Amino acid sequence: PGADEDRVGKPFMGRSGQLLDRMMAAIGLDRTNAYVGNVVPWRPPGNRNPTPQEIATCKPFIERQIALADPDILVCLGGVATQALAATKDGILKSRGRWFPYRTDKREIRLLATLHPAYLLRQPLQKRLAWRDFRALRAALDEGSR
């Protein structure tokens, strides 16, 4: 989480959250029909990436949140979430657009890796890649509702 998220206590509330909301709206989703969470629920000092120890400490909590939400598809925004939940060591530029299996306590679901909205704000030309991923997400959701 960034400073806005830390202050408000909810994920994706700042500029990156506004971009995420627009990205979701473009494929017919919003926060009433999608659950948004963080692997680590606090902002690490200096806004650095969380350490492996911080991720390991928090991972059971996000895994439980995912199990309770019981989604059909899990979308990881950025490298930290993707590495933590998809069990890959690949960076996000190599992982994005790929589907991974994710096992909950009930079943296996599909996990899609994509770029973090904060990265897209810094690198706007990469939005085309995220748009491809979100179109693939929409197609997968449509396929699952048949």
Side-chain angles (χ1 to χ4, degrees), residues 1 3 9 20 25 43 50 54 63 69 77 87 90 94 118 123 131 143:
L20 176 60
R43 183 180 189 205
E54 290 167 335
E63 289 174 334
L77 302 171
D90 290 340
K94 188 171 182 179
Q123 301 291 329
W131 178 236
E143 180 181 294

Side-chain angles (χ1 to χ4, degrees), residues 35-47:
Y35 180 81
V36 180
N38 286 315
V39 171
V40 174
W42 66 81
R43 183 180 189 205
N47 205 26

Side-chain angles (χ1 to χ4, degrees), residues 16-38:
S16 63
Q18 293 168 5
L19 177 56
L20 176 60
D21 289 342
R22 289 193 306 271
M23 293 164 67
M24 290 171 53
I27 62 164
L29 296 176
D30 61 35
R31 293 188 193 223
T32 65
N33 56 14
Y35 180 81
V36 180
N38 286 315

Side-chain angles (χ1 to χ4, degrees), residues 61-84:
F61 297 99
I62 191 64
E63 289 174 334
R64 183 66 180 141
Q65 289 175 39
I66 294 165
L68 289 170
D70 194 26
D72 292 325
I73 297 174
L74 181 62
V75 178
C76 286
L77 302 171
V80 171
T82 300
Q83 290 176 351

